[in-house]
Amino acid sequence: MSGQKTLLKISGCSVAKNGTISVDSSRPVFQALINPSGYGHDFSIKYAKNQALGQAGNESKFHASQPEKLSLKELVLDGTGVVPGTTKAVKDQVQELRDAVYTYVGTKHEAPIVQVVWGSLIFYGRVEGLKFDYTLFKPNGEPLRAKISLNFVEYTSAAEIVKEEAKNSPDLTHLIEVK
């Protein structure tokens, strides 16, 4: 990075038959004019608890890696005219964001898959939660500012999951031939 300010960008994506995810230029794009105050990136693993009847303790065995989660905190949309480049009303900016991350894709029968890019962060996922808090209004009640919280869950295609697993079963891949 050159040290230049980079703005958060959320782009719609498509998945090829081989499982690769790429930005789809026909899908809506949202670019923030004010970056979020921060983000959280969560990783978790699920374990199975195997305990025999009468056993004093239990053993935690790996069950599965859970999808990563990304939460963007306090993304601000401003329609006051104070922020350079903001000529759109807040309700129009809200609609652009909804179209990019939330609006159901009828041809795919699912929520859109998006790419979230901000600086060195690149995340592919689907929105899990979208919350708008309106904080400033015109005298007629039209919103001038909104704070948004976005929660995404990682999207990985079935083909990518198989590639990442790289299973090596000791009873199948480590055969010893004795002559």
Side-chain angles (χ1 to χ4, degrees):
M1 289 272 140
S2 63
Q4 199 172 16
K5 181 179 177 179
T6 57
L7 296 172
L8 171 80
K9 186 176 180 181
I10 303 172
S11 307
C13 294
S14 61
V15 180
K17 290 184 188 219
N18 67 358
T20 57
I21 305 167
S22 59
V23 172
D24 184 349
S25 59
S26 68
R27 297 279 313 133
V29 174
F30 174 82
Q31 182 155 342
L33 294 172
I34 302 171
N35 282 327
S37 63
Y39 67 87
H41 200 167
D42 300 329
F43 301 83
S44 63
I45 295 175
K46 188 172 183 178
Y47 293 96
K49 306 286 185 188
N50 299 330
Q51 186 169 6
L53 189 60
Q55 187 177 12
N58 60 14
E59 179 182 11
S60 296
K61 289 281 200 179
F62 176 81
H63 178 68
S65 293
Q66 301 293 86
E68 294 176 25
K69 294 193 177 194
L70 176 71
S71 57
L72 299 175
K73 302 169 185 175
E74 288 193 18
L75 173 63
V76 176
L77 302 180
D78 187 274
T80 62
V82 174
V83 178
T86 56
T87 56
K88 294 181 184 171
V90 168
K91 68 177 184 162
D92 296 332
Q93 294 177 57
V94 164
Q95 191 58 49
E96 281 182 6
L97 179 58
R98 284 184 56 145
D99 289 345
V101 302
Y102 185 79
T103 303
Y104 182 79
V105 182
T107 57
K108 302 282 185 187
H109 303 287
E110 60 188 11
I113 299 164
V114 296
Q115 177 194 57
V116 180
V117 177
W118 184 23
S120 62
L121 171 70
I122 299 174
F123 184 87
Y124 292 93
R126 287 191 169 123
V127 74
E128 191 173 50
L130 176 61
K131 179 181 177 189
F132 297 96
D133 287 321
Y134 297 96
T135 59
L136 184 66
F137 302 88
K138 288 183 178 178
N140 67 359
E142 184 181 331
L144 286 172
R145 189 168 296 138
K147 290 183 181 178
I148 292 103
S149 298
L150 278 158
N151 296 308
F152 295 94
V153 64
E154 175 188 33
Y155 176 82
T156 308
S157 67
E160 289 291 321
I161 291 169
V162 170
K163 284 182 200 174
E164 287 178 10
E165 283 179 341
K167 289 185 176 178
N168 285 327
S169 178
D171 55 342
L172 297 177
T173 58
H174 303 142
L175 294 176
I176 300 172
E177 187 176 325
V178 179
K179 291 184 180 182

